[in-house]
Amino acid sequence: MAERIFTLDDLTGARSVCGCLACNLSAVFADHLTALRTGYPGAVTTLGHRRPSPGTTAVPHFLAVRLGGVIADVVVWEEMRPHQLTAWLPAPDARARVPQLAARIPRLVRIRQAVRTGTFTPSGAAGEALSTGGRYPSFRFLVEHWLTLNKEFTP
């Protein structure tokens, strides 16, 4: 499923005084992602993720945020316990790739931007998933289709 493009006003439900990403952004995204993950009590931050808490996996989420006429890619982090990670990403081989790929954010963002601009379209199941999921592939999409994406993408 592709991410929606959000404005700060969409996320806060109020008219922003400032459109700056630095203004209370962590609280905005924390509220949004907690609402998306039914019953999820974990912490979400936009400040980067140094290490997950014991017993959890750090999972990045890529959001596209419209600031005026510019679309900014924002990475927010969520900590998932094993049962939450399994529910979110059922395939064991894909779950095993999460920590490795979470450390490759710059490459994943380049792939995502290439998909979004139409300069890269993967083949096979990844290409089919994009045709139904839109042009803003999620971290989950990138993990599920990493073998194809990594093989085919050349920056």
Side-chain angles (χ1 to χ4, degrees):
M1 176 171 140
E3 286 100 351
R4 197 183 135 201
I5 296 176
F6 293 96
T7 65
L8 293 178
D9 291 350
D10 289 336
L11 295 176
T12 59
R15 194 84 153 129
S16 299
V17 175
C18 175
C20 173
L21 276 176
C23 294
N24 300 315
L25 192 57
S26 61
V28 169
F29 282 115
D31 291 344
H32 171 68
L33 287 178
T34 301
L36 283 180
R37 179 107 28 237
T38 305
Y40 179 69
V44 178
T45 176
T46 57
L47 303 177
H49 201 91
R50 289 167 183 79
R51 247 186 265 155
S53 299
T56 67
T57 300
V59 178
H61 297 284
F62 300 136
L63 299 179
V65 179
R66 188 179 308 279
L67 299 173
V70 177
I71 296 175
D73 285 313
V74 177
V75 178
V76 294
W77 293 89
E78 178 178 6
E79 291 183 334
M80 289 189 197
R81 299 203 178 284
H83 70 280
Q84 293 167 320
L85 188 60
T86 299
W88 180 71
L89 198 60
D93 60 325
R95 281 196 311 275
R97 286 192 289 269
V98 169
Q100 169 206 7
L101 294 183
R104 294 180 153 191
I105 297 297
R107 179 163 173 79
L108 297 177
V109 169
R110 283 195 304 274
I111 291 171
R112 187 173 190 264
Q113 289 171 339
V115 166
R116 185 173 66 220
T117 60
T119 59
F120 172 59
T121 303
S123 65
E128 288 177 33
L130 275 178
S131 67
T132 60
R135 301 206 75 67
Y136 290 89
S138 64
F139 178 73
R140 179 179 174 171
F141 169 86
L142 296 170
V143 170
E144 289 174 330
H145 299 285
W146 176 248
L147 300 177
T148 299
L149 298 171
N150 192 42
K151 183 172 73 172
E152 295 180 359
F153 180 72
T154 54

